[in-house]
């Protein structure tokens, strides 16, 4: 089931462990290096708008942490692997507002939610295991899991004929077992779509039938422009099983999309046993996340969270509106797209005959517009006619200009 | 060879991947939680003295990075996995001063050198592989490697009858192969000892005979109080093989012991192929180390490195002198210890009949002095009569007081 790649010209290749076989460079990150040029309108990188970063507040926060000698000494020293206890207490309150009752023993601070994903893959995925992910799914999660050598099955969100038994049988037919599942429930990367309440309950039922963990990755949930918030999967699970300490859902949160990704602060919220386990992994991986950044993030979260959410929603909401309006106005009739109620992404479906990779080449060359071809987000590399557009970084004006140009290309023979 | 532990009361245990079997909490970090009490004289934690942290310079550095809008936006944004290019360029110059000619393509910035060790274990160690480490060795390295399920053989530093063939045969007899080796050449944790030039050449010869990587972990090398610096293993290897890009040595460096561990900035210096490989792992693990901390560390390194080294050497040098003098004055004749020329540790050998774990219990209870029992640093859990003393954190006066008390206990019947 696991085959050794005959990869690249690296003379070290024969000496690497087999787990290196599946690890490849992120197409997006490689792409970003190429398109990061003046004049290109980029809908590619799913990164926040630096205009929204709390720059002055961050200055004040670092100054506040470092100007007091006792606080500074702590901020510049090694610290506990679990994370700063004030920050964890803030996260406990934040989770409570999402309907999750927990204590700081249910929280581990990680270096962004990416690190949470990597730790969870390491904890649960044995080589050859089947992992359930949506098709498409977040590319970074596929990368985080890769060195554990999983195989994938496509986790359905809509009602289908896929049951726990069908996932089990499919795995068995490939000599595998289902051990792990992963979803982005709110404004998913790359589609911008959100699971309905019914779909959330269905996912929970499934992972209970399969007796596997469900990782809920929620970096965008706070950035909702319209519609009512839906309960986190972890909140529904806590209702279902009575306590977070019985939960099969493991929640990954992040300050990257709302505050700043530069401090690399995220968290995992889960049963205390899983947090203890992840804490051991944290210790072995990098001892602890930078204490100073955790102190600063706590300072920012306490004072600026509400403002920052409001600012981010207003900005990305207007940009989404601009992109949807431009798509509506300029795109040919045979192109379809999602209507996200929050987050940073719109997902285009081109006619079956179109290849988004080829379109990107032409688009960069002829009109200077960048996006990410959808294929990158499929574990099975399907989705040739899909396109991920991010509206977080460009201005409203460049969004209209870029969509006009992209639509022109698609209309051209 | 690899047996499943029947570990703990964690209800999740049956669902964890096998690689979790070897992961245990660091005895030191658990110990530090207990002894971190007022009144205890601690020689336990191998952590830097916060009095030496460049507090004011760090304030200035954060202010400098955040006060300029362009610089602030970059510092608070996602960044490349390789690390900040200015910081990497500084590290290139720093490595050149140690006799290693390299370019920024040979440098990856990591979240402390611990992260470098974790990445290297992941890259090279397959389950059941034999890893060569000194006995004793750095506990954090054993933890970093643990989830790859290695077995260990004791790497000799003195001239012995252990040859490449003998390591190979020992591994073979255990159904294993030798795939990886690890040393701390300068003022090692836990012994404080330094490899001689002859020993360095012998280690290089061995890893060439075995055709395996040698990880050179060098967090303390800059903190030398006396004697002449010895060339890094990587410098000798570059001479031997002509270029870093042919090197089998992989160097892990850190700013934690000289500047501050709170920013979590370290690096790996190796052949460009290995750096590319580690960069993929970095991407999958946490995308990038905090950009802001890398900018700040560059600012500090450019302006303060010389001062900081001088300050650290003066302080730890005086503390080592105090500890050696107190040991000389108060310890019973049947206790032996190392004479480190730098770094943070002295290593005691008690009479064979003594158990350092029991001594610690008594020491905490009866005289309020803490240290780390040596057993933690042996892959095979030998070393019952060994003691690690760290002199970096206590003052000169408390060092004398603590050693007096510890010696009193050892003299008591």
């Amino acid at each position: 089931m696991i085959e050794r790649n005959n990869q690249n010209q690296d003379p070290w290749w024969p000496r690497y462990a087999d787990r290196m076989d599946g690890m490849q460079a992120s197409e997006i990150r490689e792409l970003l290096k190429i398109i990061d040029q003046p004049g290109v309108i980029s809908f590619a990188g799913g990164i926040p708008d630096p205009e929204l970063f709390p720059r002055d507040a961050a200055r004040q926060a670092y100054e506040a942490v470092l100007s007091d000698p006792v606080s500074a000494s702590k901020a510049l020293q090694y610290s506990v692997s679990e994370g700063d206890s004030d920050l964890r207490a803030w996260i406990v309150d934040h989770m409570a507002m999402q309907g999750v009752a927990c204590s700081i023993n249910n929280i581990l601070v990680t270096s962004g939610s990416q690190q949470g994903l990597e730790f969870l893959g390491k904890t649960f995925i044995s080589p050859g295991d089947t992992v359930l992910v949506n098709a498409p799914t977040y590319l970074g999660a596929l990368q985080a899991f890769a060195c554990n050598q999983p195989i994938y099955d496509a986790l359905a969100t809509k009602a289908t004929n896929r049951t726990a038994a069908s996932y089990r049988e499919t795995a068995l037919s490939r000599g595998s077992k289902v051990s792990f599942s992963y979803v982005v429930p709110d404004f998913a990367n790359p589609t911008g779509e959100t699971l309905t309440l019914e779909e959330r309950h269905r996912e929970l039922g499934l992972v209970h039938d399969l007796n596997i963990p469900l990782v809920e990755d929620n970096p965008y949930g706070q950035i909702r422009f319209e519609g009512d918030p839906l309960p986190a999967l972890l909140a529904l699970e806590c209702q279902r099983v009575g306590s977070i300490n019985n939960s099969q859902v493991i929640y990954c949160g992040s300050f990257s999309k709302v505050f700043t990704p530069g401090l690399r602060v995220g968290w995992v919220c889960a049963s205390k046993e899983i947090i203890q386990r992840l804490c051991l992994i944290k210790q072995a991986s990098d001892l602890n996340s930078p204490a100073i950044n955790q102190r600063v993030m706590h300072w920012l979260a306490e004072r600026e969270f509400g403002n920052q959410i409001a600012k981010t929603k207003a900005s990305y909401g207007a940009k989404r509106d601009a992109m949807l309006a431009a798509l509506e106005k300029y795109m040919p009739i045979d192109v379809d797209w999602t209507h996200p109620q929050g987050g940073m992404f719109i997902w285009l479906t081109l006619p079956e005959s179109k290849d988004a990779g080829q379109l990107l080449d032409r688009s960069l060359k002829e009109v200077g517009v960048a996006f990410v071809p959808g294929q990158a987000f499929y574990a099975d590399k399907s989705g040739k006619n899909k396109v991920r557009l991010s509206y977080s970084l460009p201005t409203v004006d460049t969004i209209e200009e870029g969509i006009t140009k992209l639509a022109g290309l698609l209309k051209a023979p």
Side-chain angles (χ1 to χ4, degrees), chain A:
Chain A
M1 187 180 343
I2 298 160
E3 281 168 30
R4 199 82 222 259
N5 288 341
N6 187 6
Q7 206 175 326
N8 60 49
Q9 278 100 44
D10 182 349
W12 282 89
W13 186 250
R15 281 173 286 191
Y16 293 152
D18 287 356
R19 73 177 71 83
M20 289 299 106
D21 287 16
M23 299 205 78
Q24 288 167 15
S26 157
E27 294 174 37
I28 294 186
R29 286 177 81 90
E30 295 306 307
L31 182 66
L32 290 181
K33 288 182 190 171
I34 301 168
I35 64 175
D36 189 15
Q37 293 164 17
V40 170
I41 295 176
S42 178
F43 304 134
I47 60 178
D49 184 350
E51 287 299 313
L52 300 171
F53 292 159
R55 214 163 53 214
D56 290 330
R59 269 174 88 174
Q60 286 175 50
Y62 277 105
E63 176 61 19
V65 169
L66 289 173
S67 60
D68 172 66
V70 175
S71 151
S73 286
K74 277 192 177 179
L76 295 172
Q77 187 58 287
Y78 288 109
S79 56
V80 293
S81 302
E82 292 84 342
D84 182 89
S85 52
D86 292 337
L87 180 62
R88 288 159 78 210
W90 186 92
I91 294 168
V92 165
D93 291 343
H94 177 71
M95 293 307 299
M97 289 193 296
Q98 294 179 63
V100 176
C102 63
S103 78
I104 69 165
N105 297 323
N106 301 108
I107 308 291
L108 173 80
V109 176
T110 55
S111 294
S113 62
Q114 183 73 22
Q115 188 175 52
L117 300 179
E118 206 270 340
F119 288 178
L120 289 164
K122 189 181 269 177
T123 304
F124 287 105
I125 307 171
S126 292
D129 276 0
T130 290
V131 169
L132 306 184
V133 295
N134 297 139
T137 191
Y138 170 51
L139 173 61
L142 298 178
Q143 292 187 298
F145 305 151
C147 76
N148 307 304
Q149 302 167 280
I151 58 178
Y152 291 99
D153 197 354
L155 177 63
T157 51
K158 313 285 168 206
T160 67
N161 59 354
R162 296 303 306 264
T163 58
S166 93
Y167 288 113
R168 246 193 235 109
E169 279 158 29
T170 303
L172 201 61
S173 74
R174 301 156 86 193
S176 176
K177 66 176 198 297
V178 185
S179 72
F180 191 72
S181 63
Y182 169 81
V183 291
V184 186
D186 293 323
F187 328 126
N189 179 355
T191 66
E193 288 178 329
T194 296
L195 294 184
T196 65
L197 187 60
E198 188 196 343
E199 286 162 356
R200 287 167 201 244
H201 282 296
R202 191 182 307 123
E203 299 296 359
L204 291 179
L206 179 70
V207 298
H208 277 273
D209 287 349
L210 289 167
N211 193 25
I212 60 172
L214 172 63
V215 174
E216 174 177 28
D217 186 10
N218 201 338
Y220 313 108
Q222 299 293 316
I223 313 171
R224 176 180 278 278
F225 324 130
E226 67 176 55
D228 292 326
L230 285 159
L233 287 159
L234 181 55
L236 297 173
E237 170 77 352
C238 288
Q239 284 169 21
R240 185 182 181 120
V241 298
S243 155
I244 189 167
N245 289 323
N246 300 324
S247 168
Q248 285 182 213
V249 175
I250 302 165
Y251 181 104
C252 295
S254 174
F255 291 104
S256 293
K257 302 306 189 291
V258 173
F259 273 101
T260 151
L263 271 59
R264 311 300 304 121
V265 184
W267 69 91
V268 180
C269 178
S271 78
K272 66 180 192 303
E273 285 89 1
I274 289 175
I275 294 298
Q276 280 166 13
R277 171 68 27 193
L278 297 177
C279 187
L280 287 184
I281 297 178
K282 178 77 181 164
Q283 209 174 85
S285 297
D286 59 11
L287 302 181
N288 56 262
S289 286
I292 188 165
N293 295 5
Q294 295 184 65
R295 296 301 303 158
V296 164
M297 192 52 87
H298 176 249
W299 195 100
L300 291 172
E302 279 224 309
R303 288 163 184 79
E304 296 290 332
F305 192 74
N307 285 343
Q308 195 64 27
I309 293 279
K311 230 167 55 169
T312 306
K313 283 203 250 191
S315 168
Y316 294 172
K319 291 178 180 191
R320 178 209 60 169
D321 291 347
M323 189 172 273
L324 285 177
L327 288 167
E328 193 74 39
K329 196 161 165 192
Y330 300 111
M331 275 289 159
I333 191 101
D334 55 3
V335 174
D336 202 4
W337 54 89
T338 57
H339 289 67
Q341 295 189 309
M344 296 163 46
F345 305 105
I346 293 176
W347 183 242
L348 261 57
T349 301
L350 309 180
E352 290 276 354
S353 61
K354 297 276 185 190
D355 180 308
Q358 290 171 7
L359 181 68
L360 176 64
D361 287 344
R362 284 188 55 203
S363 180
L364 280 171
K365 236 176 275 171
E366 297 176 25
V367 297
V369 175
F371 55 83
V372 180
Q375 224 176 339
F377 303 97
Y378 288 85
D380 65 358
K381 300 290 164 201
S382 62
K384 272 198 163 36
N385 63 327
K386 306 285 187 177
V387 166
R388 189 190 76 175
L389 299 178
S390 168
Y391 48 77
S392 53
L393 205 50
T395 63
V396 164
D397 288 347
T398 51
I399 286 172
E400 171 149 26
E401 185 188 342
I403 295 297
T404 313
K405 288 176 169 175
L406 194 58
L409 260 191
L410 279 163
K411 283 175 182 161

